[in-house]
Amino acid sequence: MNKIPEHVAIILDGNGRWARSKGMPRNYGHTMGAKNVETICRACHNMGIRYLTVYAFSTENWTRPDDEVKAIMKLLRHYLKTCFTLARDNDMCVKVLGDISRLDEDMRETILRLEEETKDYGGLHFQIALNYGSRDEMLRAVRSLVADRESGKITGEIDEQVFVSYLDTKGIPDPDLLIRTSGEQRLSNFLLWQCAYTEFYFTDVHWPAFDEKELEKAVKSYGERNRRYGGI
Ligand code: IPE
Ligand code: IPE
Ligand code: MG
C-alpha cells in the first residue's frame, strides 16, 4: 500500500442501526462499537498510521433518551479503564478532546490519569472526542484567548498559529483522512476547523462491522487522491 495518511479521524456512526438490523437493542450496538475501537486502534498501529481520532460522543448526543445516554456513559467509563492496557500493549498516547467538565468526577479523574500515564508513548497518538462539538471547542478557545489577552499572557497579533494553540487538538496535525461509517455524509459538528483540507471517505458499512479490511479500503482510496490545497 502506498501513501499512508498520517492522521485518520473517524465518525463512529451506525451502532444503533447495526444492532437493529440484527434484531438487537441499540445499546448492544454501542457495546460492539466500543469493542471495534480496539480492533481499529491495533489495525492503525500495524498500518503505520501515526494519529487516530475517534468521535465517540458529541455535545448534541445528550439529547438522546436518558437510558441510552446512561448506557453509553457506562460503556465509556469501562472503555477508559481498559484503555490503560490497550495503550501499554500498543504504545499508544491517549488524549481526550472535548469539554470533560460535564462528565462525572470519576470519569474525569480516569481521563486525567490515562493522559498522564500514556503521554510518553509514541507509537500511535489516539484521541477520543467525548462531549466534543467543534463549535463548542472554538468558543472555548476564543474565551481563553480573550482571557489570556486581557491578563497580558499573550500580546501581539492573533494569527492561525496562536488560535490553533487554544484548540483541544493543540499539537496534533490536521486529519489527512476523515472516515464516516453508516452512510450519512455530514460532519455533525466534528473538527470543523481542522478538516479544512481533509479528504473525506464515506461508507455504508455500520461502525461495529467496520473492520481492518474496510480501513484498508479507505486508506487505498486516500492513496488515489490528488490533494491540491488550492494550488494547481
Ligand atoms: C454512533 O452510533 C454512536 C454515537 C453517536 C454515540 P449511533 O448511535 O449514532 O447509531 P445510529 O446512527 O443511530 O445507527
Ligand atoms: C455523530 O453521530 C456523533 C458521533 C458519532 C459521536 P450522530 O449519529 O450523533 O450524528 P447525526 O445525528 O446523524 O448527525
Ligand atoms: Mg448516528
Side-chain angles (χ1 to χ4, degrees):
M1 226 183 286
N2 57 358
K3 239 171 74 184
I4 298 288
E6 184 186 24
H7 183 177
V8 174
I10 311 181
I11 300 177
L12 317 176
D13 200 16
N15 289 349
R17 278 167 282 173
W18 178 83
R20 286 282 181 239
S21 76
K22 302 215 158 329
M24 298 293 281
R26 289 179 57 84
N27 289 341
Y28 176 68
H30 295 313
T31 306
M32 298 312 279
K35 273 213 176 102
N36 198 40
V37 174
E38 202 172 315
T39 307
I40 294 303
C41 277
R42 291 186 210 279
C44 283
H45 189 47
N46 292 340
M47 283 165 82
I49 291 163
R50 297 290 322 284
Y51 293 82
L52 170 68
T53 302
V54 299
Y55 200 9
F57 194 85
S58 74
T59 45
E60 287 75 40
N61 287 149
W62 297 103
T63 60
R64 295 187 178 202
D66 242 21
D67 62 334
E68 178 160 339
V69 171
K70 278 210 184 90
I72 294 174
M73 285 301 147
K74 194 173 160 200
L75 259 174
L76 284 168
R77 179 177 273 114
H78 174 75
Y79 180 78
L80 288 168
K81 283 187 188 140
T82 61
C83 221
F84 287 88
T85 317
L86 181 69
R88 218 173 299 128
D89 292 351
N90 294 277
D91 193 23
M92 268 163 54
C93 155
V94 187
K95 277 193 187 134
V96 170
L97 313 178
D99 179 6
I100 65 166
S101 70
R102 196 168 165 185
L103 306 179
D104 289 346
E105 198 185 338
D106 69 303
M107 262 174 104
R108 294 202 304 269
E109 272 171 15
T110 309
I111 289 167
L112 296 180
R113 206 156 45 80
L114 185 61
E115 290 183 335
E116 176 58 30
E117 279 187 28
T118 64
K119 71 176 189 311
D120 296 325
Y121 293 145
L124 176 70
H125 296 258
F126 177 50
Q127 290 72 235
I128 312 168
L130 224 173
N131 189 28
Y132 176 88
S134 196
R135 289 181 173 182
D136 176 69
E137 176 193 31
M138 286 194 260
L139 274 177
R140 284 186 285 109
V142 170
R143 284 189 206 116
S144 346
L145 221 167
V146 169
D148 284 353
R149 168 72 102 183
E150 281 170 355
S151 71
K153 200 169 154 198
I154 57 158
T155 52
E157 190 171 355
I158 294 164
D159 54 15
E160 279 194 20
Q161 220 186 326
V162 172
F163 182 68
V164 300
S165 74
Y166 281 82
L167 294 174
D168 296 347
T169 50
K170 175 188 178 182
I172 299 163
D174 288 341
D176 298 294
L177 172 66
L178 176 111
I179 299 170
R180 183 166 185 152
T181 55
S182 210
E184 250 61 70
Q185 303 192 357
R186 53 178 171 259
L187 280 174
S188 302
N189 206 5
F190 191 44
L191 304 177
L192 304 181
W193 171 280
Q194 296 85 344
C195 283
Y197 273 102
T198 299
E199 297 295 328
F200 290 0
Y201 178 87
F202 300 106
T203 170
D204 287 338
V205 176
H206 301 308
W207 172 247
F210 187 90
D211 57 12
E212 188 161 1
K213 284 264 172 311
E214 295 297 332
L215 178 67
E216 281 169 7
K217 275 193 225 165
V219 168
K220 182 167 180 287
S221 161
Y222 171 81
E224 290 158 0
R225 313 274 179 98
N226 179 10
R227 303 180 79 183
R228 284 185 293 278
Y229 299 98
I232 52 169

